[in-house]
Amino acid sequence: MDFAYTAEDEAFRAELTQWLEDNLDKFLAEHPHDGDDAAGAGSSGIMAAMERRRAWQRKLNEGRWAAITWPEEWGGRDATVTQSVIYSETMATYRTPGIYNANGLWQIGPMIIRWGTDEQKHRWIPNILNADDHWCQGFSEPQAGSDLANLRTLAIRDGDDYVLNGQKIWISSAHIARWGLFLVRTDPAAIAEGRKHEGITALIIDMETPGIDVRPIRDIAGEEMFCEVFFDDARVPVEYRLGGEGEGWLVAMGTLGSERVGTAGLAIGMRADLDAMINLAKAVNPGALDDPEIRQRIARAHTDIEYTKLLNYRALSKILRNEKNWPEVPLAKLQWSHLAQTLAELAVDLLGPYGMMAKGGPDAVDGGAWNRLYVFQRYTSIGAGTTEVQKNIIADKAIKLPRR
């Protein structure tokens, strides 16, 4: 691993840090946090939380800090991989608010810049950058899960339109999105003929199109983050296709690579969560810190967080040497799922009765955030590629275990 930073990297860090010092406290004072997290807020609070995120993304965009990896001509900074890591870690250290268009900034926007026509770029890139509309990403299906090769939602060409029929599931925030990037099957014979990676096309879809039905799924936390999306003869203009027909697999691989490698700041964020729960336990349930088992769990969590940070640095070092960051990316995803759930469980045990107080309770600490976290973090087994699929990929491609 290479831990060295260039003078340009250090200058990047200093500029970002100074910008946060100048702007973050003022923003937080003008946009107080009411305890809802937009990623999982219930219907009563999600719009307020999303408006706070919209305001923060626009503030970032004013300083060209919203999409640092984008080219300068599209409002970015042409940031290097190392600078992206510095950015993620600095944002995690300052515990900045979430952004409005995570899917758009980190995944869909770069794909439009890479694959889109000039007309598509000028139409949608400013929209994403300035948080004018929310975007969702639609890959998973009931019969495919995270296995893109088994996509079955059909898009049949009819003149200047594609006619869509099928179903998507586990589509984050589709119920508040105006636009989405979806993968569909434009060659219905590909699966039957064993050409599962062929005939997949990427379409940008107006979520208000007739024939599209979005149904939120209430999760175990009582929230509505994920959705089912049904297509019933929905017509999408051919001009909304991203890349050529049948090139959706290439578009998807770039998108998923951005999603699953973006874990650089997670270890620092998790370390901050661990420190926060320990400090809170000192105030509301100090006896828990005398429990040998609890102390061992804290030490183990701290160690795992440090290992995860080193894993991310190893992946970064491979990228800098023009090597494939394999198998660090799927391993990092598994670590994220494991640690997120481990910390949520540890928090409840550390805080004792206070950890079970939900939002609205008179004695709830931190607005009931730890109680919500306990149930909500189960989703990390699904997000960014299901745990089962990631384990299969590692077993098949990294360890090369024999098939049955």
Side-chain angles (χ1 to χ4, degrees), residues 5-18 65 77 83 86:
Y5 293 106
T6 66
E8 290 78 10
D9 294 336
E10 294 296 354
F12 178 91
R13 188 199 307 274
E15 184 181 355
L16 173 59
T17 300
Q18 187 60 56
W65 292 111
R77 288 174 173 262
Q83 290 166 357
I86 291 172

Side-chain angles (χ1 to χ4, degrees), residues 10 65 75 96 113 170 176 208 230 245 308 311 331 366 373 386 401:
E10 294 296 354
W65 292 111
T96 57
I113 292 173
W170 309 125
I176 61 171
E208 297 181 357
F230 296 86
E245 186 166 293
T308 301
L311 180 67
L331 287 173
D366 286 351
L373 195 68
T386 65
L401 293 177

Side-chain angles (χ1 to χ4, degrees), residues 350-371:
L350 261 175
L351 301 179
Y354 288 94
M356 298 306 296
M357 297 292 181
K359 183 180 179 180
D363 297 319
V365 294
D366 286 351
W370 299 103
N371 171 278

Side-chain angles (χ1 to χ4, degrees), residues 21-100:
E21 292 286 344
D22 294 341
N23 291 277
L24 181 57
D25 286 344
K26 181 180 179 181
F27 177 87
L28 295 177
E30 295 174 349
H31 301 82
H33 187 29
D34 67 357
D36 279 325
D37 187 300
S43 57
S44 61
I46 192 170
M47 295 312 297
M50 292 303 290
E51 285 306 311
R52 182 175 187 262
R53 288 182 168 223
R54 188 203 296 265
W56 177 241
Q57 181 176 326
R58 287 177 172 172
K59 172 60 68 174
L60 289 171
N61 190 32
E62 290 175 5
R64 288 193 306 117
W65 292 111
I68 60 165
T69 60
W70 291 17
E72 290 187 8
E73 65 178 302
W74 294 109
R77 288 174 173 262
D78 281 314
T80 65
V81 173
T82 303
Q83 290 166 357
S84 295
V85 172
I86 291 172
Y87 178 88
S88 296
E89 292 184 341
T90 303
M91 290 299 194
T93 299
Y94 276 81
R95 299 180 74 80
T96 57
I99 57 175
Y100 183 73

Side-chain angles (χ1 to χ4, degrees), residues 67 70 101-116 120-121 124-125 127-129 133-139 171-173 177-183 202-205 207 240 242 251-252 254-256 258-259:
W70 291 17
N101 245 337
N103 281 331
L105 288 178
W106 298 337
Q107 296 144 36
I108 299 172
M111 292 301 100
I112 294 177
I113 292 173
R114 166 67 178 82
W115 294 91
Q120 289 173 336
K121 294 174 186 177
W124 283 306
I125 288 300
N127 173 293
I128 293 172
L129 192 60
D133 290 313
H134 192 70
W135 286 66
C136 65
Q137 179 175 282
F139 290 1
I171 310 306
S172 301
S173 66
R178 171 61 193 272
W179 298 95
L181 174 65
F182 284 75
L183 292 185
L203 295 179
I204 294 174
I205 296 178
M207 299 302 291
Y240 286 8
L242 188 60
V251 175
T255 301
L256 290 177
S258 299
E259 178 182 13

